[in-house]
């Protein structure tokens, strides 16, 4: 039997619950979402938490840099399922945002569908190949720094067995691993490279267990590209003897300085800034913006405390290869680039 | 490239430990008649509680905070389901979603966008002298973190308590025929509330094990479906204490097999390996299908004549 008291309490609790949910939904944590027509407004959708110190963290840093340097009003949403990509793009388009980033190649279909409905908004996906009047993509040449990382990995590995661990098998992740493998074989043609995927980007426990399984098979250097789940991979190395990790996406050398050889860094803030500047000045041209080592966005960053671990001649070799990559005189025989529009 | 059986079993028990903690919590809740889909929420709340607690007062405080956080998630569940009489499936889903969102937001508020990195103290495995040298199963069972030994004790006590004590009988009676239990002077509401709180605490400890005995950090959403797997483990274990242990071990071993297969570098699509634990579980479930052992009143709300 429903008494008045129970009805009142139920109503009260319902309101509290709605309040809590509204307060802690990951959306709109930086500014109010109603954008005024004149201001420069920028939004970011990330597929994972911005606390991953990797792919999503770097993008969020880029968003904040746009806010601070270009005086933009910014907003961020962490998407949960692909079904939400389009809905979130529409929300920002309908609120008149100037620029919306979908952070990952998986956003490109949604961007292509939503773009025509909101011609005043520029939609950019990080990764992907789709372009139209107001839709464009950023593409990162993961291959270049991954190749350098492979040379370093081969020089440090004693067992000659090297591991790659990724979140899911996205094309940019795969191309990075392929170029890494080439780098490994450039220095040690007999080395073996084993690759594993976790199936997600959050399960740090699975990251650790997969790393331990590789280590038990003799792997002593692991190139990880698993975002938040990758934290478990660093932990596995910390608990094992003589195992080193190569980080990716952001400079992860500080995550576990004693085991990290270096990081394949995308300077996401720089890439985001260069797009935002173009859009703000009105000079935006829809195209696939390719960022590589020559644009200063992709970079191999050695962990300075590992200078004694890597043989000096290998450090020189890496410097020289990088130099030739920069002036365009060295183009390693990458495996054919994995198409990103599948 | 050889596979050491002792090491494999040790890793299997390690993987099974958080699953078993959560599953024993769910076992008690389900024996009282409530399906707690908020278990995943309790686990992520526990993981976050462990991070905060361990940062403030070391590993012990971390586990205490993990249990409390799991309890808090379950308290919401108990309040909504038992007192406000909401549907348990919807309420449990809501609790899980709420906990996933709330922990993410609190994590960013407390630790900033940079996160806590790998700063959390962890407990290392402690070998039991003598026993850990047994062939094959020695390291698997007796070279584990302290929490795993605690789990053995809890599992054994729980099996005895449910079968042999008056309170255990009250729990089972509530799960089978709440009306009869009520007629016998038992308060089904109270029994289910305590069962949910215990389940939440165990789910919270499961999250604590993930953070403090395994990964050494918190990541948003790191429970990654383990709460739901634990619910499946209870079904697979036919709602018995021993069955749950077996099912948890099976799932732990299947997960480890997946990791090992991938680390061998065979040219097989990795999705097949990722599906392996689930396929194996389904096969076992289908293969052991005997008479239903579910509590008769499982998933049914308490009627007026039982409160």
């Amino acid at each position: 039997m429903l008494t008045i008291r129970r009805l009142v309490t139920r109503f009260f609790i319902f309101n509290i619950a709605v309040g809590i949910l509204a307060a802690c939904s990951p959306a709109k944590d930086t500014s109010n979402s109603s954008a005024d027509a004149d201001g420069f407004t920028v939004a970011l959708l990330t597929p994972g938490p911005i606390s991953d110190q990797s792919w999503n963290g770097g993008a969020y840093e880029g968003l904040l840099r746009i806010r601070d340097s270009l005086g933009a009003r910014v907003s961020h949403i962490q998407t949960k399922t692909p079904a939400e990509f389009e809905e979130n793009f529409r929300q920002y388009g309908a609120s008149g945002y100037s620029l919306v980033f979908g952070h990952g190649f998986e956003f490109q279909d949604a961007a292509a569908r939503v773009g025509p409905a909101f011609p005043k908004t520029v939609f950019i996906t990080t990764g992907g190949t789709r372009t139209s009047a107001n839709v464009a993509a950023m593409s990162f040449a993961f291959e270049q720094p991954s190749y350098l990382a492979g040379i370093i990995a081969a020089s440090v590995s004693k067992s000659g067995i090297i591991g790659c661990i990724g979140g899911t098998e996205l094309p940019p992740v795969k191309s990075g691993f392929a170029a890494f493998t080439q780098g490994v074989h450039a220095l040690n043609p007999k080395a073996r490279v084993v690759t594993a995927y976790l199936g997600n980007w959050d399960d740090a426990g699975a990251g650790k267990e997969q790393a331990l399984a590789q280590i038990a098979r003799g792997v002593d250097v692991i190139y990880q590209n698993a975002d938040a789940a990758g934290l478990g991979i660093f932990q596995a190395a910390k608990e094992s003897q003589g195992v080193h990790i190569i980080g990716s996406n952001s400079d992860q050398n500080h995550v576990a300085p004693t085991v990290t050889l270096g990081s394949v860094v995308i300077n996401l803030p720089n890439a985001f800034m260069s797009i935002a500047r173009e859009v703000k000045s009105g000079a935006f041209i829809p195209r696939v913006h390719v960022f590589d080592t020559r644009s200063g966005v992709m970079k191999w960053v050695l962990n300075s405390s590992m200078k004694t671990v890597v043989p000096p001649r290998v450090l020189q070799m890496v410097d020289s290869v990088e130099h030739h990559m920069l002036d365009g005189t060295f183009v390693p025989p990458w495996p054919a680039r994995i198409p990103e529009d599948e | 490239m050889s596979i050491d059986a002792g090491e494999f079993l040790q890793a299997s028990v390690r993987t099974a430990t958080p699953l078993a903690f959560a599953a024993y919590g769910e076992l008690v809740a389900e024996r009282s008649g409530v399906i707690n889909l908020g278990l995943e929420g309790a686990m992520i709340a526990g993981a976050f509680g462990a991070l905060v607690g361990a940062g403030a007062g070391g590993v012990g405080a971390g586990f205490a905070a993990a249990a409390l956080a799991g309890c808090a998630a379950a308290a919401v569940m108990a309040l909504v389901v038992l007192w406000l009489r909401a549907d348990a499936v919807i309420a449990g889903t809501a609790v899980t979603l709420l906990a996933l969102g709330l922990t993410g937001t609190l994590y960013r508020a407390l630790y900033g966008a940079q996160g806590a990195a790998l700063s959390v103290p962890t407990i290392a495995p402690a070998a039991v002298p003598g026993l850990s040298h047994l062939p094959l199963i020695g390291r698997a069972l007796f070279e584990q973190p302290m929490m795993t030994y605690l789990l053995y004790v809890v599992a054994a006590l729980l099996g005895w308590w449910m079968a042999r004590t008056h309170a255990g009988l009250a729990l089972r009676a509530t799960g089978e025929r709440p009306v009869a239990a009520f007629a016998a002077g038992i308060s089904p509401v109270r029994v289910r509330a305590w069962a949910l709180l215990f389940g939440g605490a165990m789910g919270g400890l499961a999250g604590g094990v993930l953070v403090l005995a395994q990964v050494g950090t918190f990541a948003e959403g790191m429970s990654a479906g383990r709460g739901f797997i634990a619910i499946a483990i209870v079904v697979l274990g036919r709602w018995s204490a021993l069955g749950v242990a077996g099912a948890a071990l099976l799932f732990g071993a299947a997960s480890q097999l997946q990791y090992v297969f991938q680390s061998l570098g065979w040219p097989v699509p990795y999705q097949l390996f990722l599906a392996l634990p689930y396929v194996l579980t389904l096969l076992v479930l289908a293969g052991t299908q005997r008479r239903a052992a579910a509590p008769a009143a499982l998933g049914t709300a308490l009627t007026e004549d039982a409160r």
Side-chain angles (χ1 to χ4, degrees):
Chain A
M1 193 183 75
L2 275 182
T3 60
I4 296 292
R5 187 185 68 98
R6 186 162 276 156
L7 262 179
V8 170
T9 4
R10 206 177 273 193
F11 177 73
F12 191 64
I13 290 188
F14 176 76
N15 276 316
I16 293 175
V18 168
I20 293 175
L21 276 171
C24 65
S25 70
K28 306 149 209 128
D29 55 350
T30 10
S31 81
N32 48 352
S33 49
S34 64
D36 59 274
D38 307 327
F40 184 51
T41 45
V42 182
L44 168 69
L45 313 181
T46 57
I50 54 173
S51 55
D52 64 356
Q53 309 201 42
S54 182
W55 177 249
N56 300 302
Y60 189 67
E61 212 180 297
L63 186 72
L64 296 185
R65 180 104 52 95
I66 292 171
R67 181 191 67 189
D68 298 340
S69 305
L70 302 180
R73 283 217 279 148
V74 299
S75 173
H76 163 251
I77 285 184
Q78 179 184 332
T79 57
K80 284 177 214 79
T81 60
E84 292 177 352
F85 295 172
E86 196 171 322
E87 174 56 28
N88 291 329
F89 274 141
R90 279 187 197 284
Q91 274 173 15
Y92 284 123
S95 326
Y97 268 72
S98 331
L99 171 60
V100 183
F101 289 99
H103 192 47
F105 111 110
E106 61 268 38
F107 287 89
Q108 62 173 339
D109 291 338
R113 276 198 300 273
V114 172
F118 303 102
K120 284 185 184 157
T121 304
V122 173
F123 295 91
I124 303 281
T125 57
T126 18
T129 51
R130 301 281 172 80
T131 59
S132 63
N134 61 330
V135 177
M138 291 194 255
S139 174
F140 301 104
F142 258 96
E143 293 91 338
Q144 295 182 337
S146 296
Y147 184 85
L148 299 175
I151 298 175
I152 299 277
S155 76
V156 172
S157 173
K158 292 191 172 69
S159 64
I161 311 173
I162 290 161
C164 293
I165 301 180
T168 57
E169 203 176 19
L170 297 181
V173 178
K174 255 178 110 169
S175 339
F177 287 171
F180 174 80
T181 306
Q182 281 196 326
V184 167
H185 289 151
L187 196 74
N188 178 4
K190 282 190 223 148
R192 247 191 102 200
V193 180
V194 289
T195 303
Y197 292 95
L198 304 174
N200 70 75
W201 302 85
D202 308 313
D203 192 343
K208 186 183 176 193
E209 289 299 329
Q210 184 62 68
L212 288 176
Q214 286 194 345
I215 291 165
R217 310 276 96 67
V219 167
D220 59 359
V221 181
I222 299 172
Y223 177 25
Q224 79 86 16
N225 189 348
D227 296 355
L231 294 172
I233 300 170
F234 285 100
Q235 182 69 21
K238 276 172 76 177
E239 291 176 11
S240 307
Q241 292 292 314
V243 176
H244 291 98
I245 305 291
I246 288 163
S248 61
N249 298 327
S250 290
D251 185 342
Q252 297 192 306
N253 296 349
H254 62 280
V255 174
T258 53
V259 297
T260 310
L261 290 171
S263 300
V264 170
V265 176
I266 313 175
N267 193 330
L268 285 164
N270 274 9
F272 274 52
M273 276 298 290
S274 100
I275 299 273
R277 265 201 209 95
E278 207 179 291
V279 172
K280 197 186 179 194
S281 68
F284 171 75
I285 305 161
R287 64 181 189 280
V288 178
H289 300 248
V290 179
F291 294 98
D292 57 9
T293 41
R294 295 168 81 177
S295 61
V297 166
M298 298 304 302
K299 198 165 170 43
W300 159 251
V301 180
L302 182 78
N303 179 2
S304 52
S305 60
M306 287 289 161
K307 279 189 178 137
T308 49
V309 177
V310 184
R313 64 170 181 94
V314 174
L315 287 177
Q316 278 168 15
M317 180 182 166
V318 166
D319 279 347
S320 143
V321 173
E322 188 175 27
H323 182 77
H324 287 100
M325 272 178 185
L326 282 172
D327 66 20
T329 50
F330 175 68
V331 182
W334 311 123
R337 196 127 198 246
I338 293 146
E340 294 196 2
D341 51 358
E342 279 169 5
Chain B
M1 284 275 157
S2 66
I3 297 165
D4 177 340
E7 194 180 276
F8 175 79
L9 290 176
Q10 187 186 23
S12 301
V13 173
R14 190 172 63 218
T15 308
T17 301
L19 296 174
F21 262 104
Y24 278 112
E26 181 69 12
L27 172 67
V28 170
E30 293 202 4
R31 287 305 285 261
S32 83
V34 191
I35 299 173
N36 182 11
L37 292 182
L39 189 63
E40 174 83 7
M43 201 188 257
I44 194 70
F48 184 71
L51 171 77
V52 176
V59 173
F63 280 114
L68 275 177
C71 251
V76 176
M77 177 80 186
L79 189 76
V80 174
V81 172
L82 298 175
W83 190 45
L84 299 175
R85 306 185 189 189
D87 180 82
V89 170
I90 295 170
T93 310
V95 164
T96 289
L97 290 176
L98 179 69
L100 284 169
L102 193 62
T103 49
T105 305
L106 287 175
Y107 182 55
R108 278 174 219 174
L110 288 177
Y111 294 86
Q114 277 291 297
L118 298 176
S119 57
V120 187
T122 52
I123 47 168
V128 179
L131 289 175
S132 62
H133 293 296
L134 290 173
L136 206 59
I137 59 161
R139 286 177 67 198
L141 295 179
F142 302 108
E143 195 181 326
Q144 294 285 351
M146 218 38 116
M147 289 304 283
T148 309
Y149 306 137
L150 176 69
L151 177 67
Y152 300 161
V153 175
V154 170
L157 278 179
L158 209 57
W160 167 80
W161 180 82
M162 286 199 306
R164 299 262 178 258
T165 68
H166 205 262
L169 180 66
L171 177 83
R172 288 183 287 130
T174 303
E176 298 293 339
R177 298 256 337 247
V179 178
F182 184 68
I186 296 163
S187 162
V189 173
R190 202 171 292 166
V191 168
R192 286 189 172 187
W194 282 114
L196 276 172
L197 287 178
F198 175 79
M202 291 291 280
L205 284 176
V209 168
L210 272 184
V211 171
L212 299 175
Q214 297 190 355
V215 182
T217 189
F218 176 84
E220 292 171 39
M222 71 183 294
S223 49
R226 283 181 183 77
F228 296 112
I229 292 168
I231 294 172
I233 283 174
V234 173
V235 180
L236 193 62
R238 302 267 135 200
W239 292 272
S240 86
L242 201 62
V244 164
L249 272 176
L250 175 80
F251 200 88
S255 301
Q256 274 303 323
L257 209 57
Q258 187 272 115
Y259 298 129
V260 170
F261 281 160
Q262 282 211 55
S263 71
L264 291 174
W266 291 340
V268 177
Y270 75 98
Q271 291 89 344
L272 289 182
F273 292 135
L274 287 180
L276 181 79
Y278 307 97
V279 172
L280 211 65
T281 308
L282 274 178
L283 285 178
V284 171
L285 192 59
T288 59
Q289 195 71 48
R290 279 180 305 240
R291 67 187 172 84
L298 182 60
T300 59
L302 293 175
T303 48
E304 281 304 322
D305 50 2
R307 350 179 123 234

